Amino acid sequence: MRQAMIFAAGMGTRLKPLTDHMPKALVEVGGITLLERVIRNLMAAGTERIVINVHHFADMIEQFLADNHNFGADIRISDERSGLLETGGGLKHAARLFDNNDTILIHNVDILSNVDLGAFYRKGTEHEAVLMVSQRKTKRYLLFDDDMRLRGWTNIETGEVKSPFGHISPGDYHMYAFSGIHTFSPHLLSKMDSYPDKFGIMDFYLKECATSDIRGYVKDDLMLMDVGKAETIDNAKDFLDRLTK
């Protein structure tokens, strides 16, 4: 795997009061920060370059990386101090830091999982974007056809449906939950030129799936925890123990 991006610029509002004094990326689970865990997992998968976007307590993240000598990795900072750009805008802003010839693996900083990142990256090189999904229980689902091409999104609680194909029925599609881990071809970056500075990556996927090869990849044995909420911190260490068994 040649390059990856860690989304680490978020305000971490769901982790308050911890994030009143530090960025979400530096919250510790089992004595190790979320950021270090993702960096080391990416490096173990063979990543050569890691781009990290920063906003909330950006100086603390940069100092943490400097104190640890970037963990021996080629780490580049995409600075969003002047304004949080959300996931899509963050990727667009960081475009100059990537090699335009290689797929980018994107990983949320607050995700713990049993994903083999190297194997998933190789799968991702076959399409313009591949989203790791599973059959987890949630309110919001992505909709895929039989070939696992992305076709839309639905909120089963509100009944809202989004799709570039007009009115569609969620019951006609396979419904999966997104993991926060995906691959992205740099060739898609040019399609972001018409987007504003600030936008969500999922909004981009849901619009561009009409003309781009955006797929889902189902990991049936996925073990995943979103450590984005304060109440999950206490359970995260037990989750990590289960991952290593």
Side-chain angles (χ1 to χ4, degrees), residues 7 53 80 84-91 197-201 203:
F7 284 148
N53 66 340
E80 297 182 25
L84 191 60
L85 302 176
E86 298 185 16
T87 49
L91 179 57
D197 291 339
K198 181 178 179 179
F199 64 96
I201 189 66
D203 292 330

Side-chain angles (χ1 to χ4, degrees), residues 141-144 149-154 168 170 173-175:
Y141 289 94
L142 295 174
L143 307 175
F144 298 91
R149 289 179 176 270
L150 181 64
R151 288 296 180 258
W153 170 97
T154 186
I168 64 172
Y173 294 90
H174 303 284
M175 300 170 57

Side-chain angles (χ1 to χ4, degrees), residues 22 43 53-54 69 90 92 104 164 176 186 213 220 223-224 226:
M22 70 172 68
M43 292 177 64
N53 66 340
V54 296
H69 308 288
K92 177 182 177 181
I104 305 161
Y176 293 104
D213 184 15
D220 292 322
M223 296 175 65
L224 182 141
D226 177 351

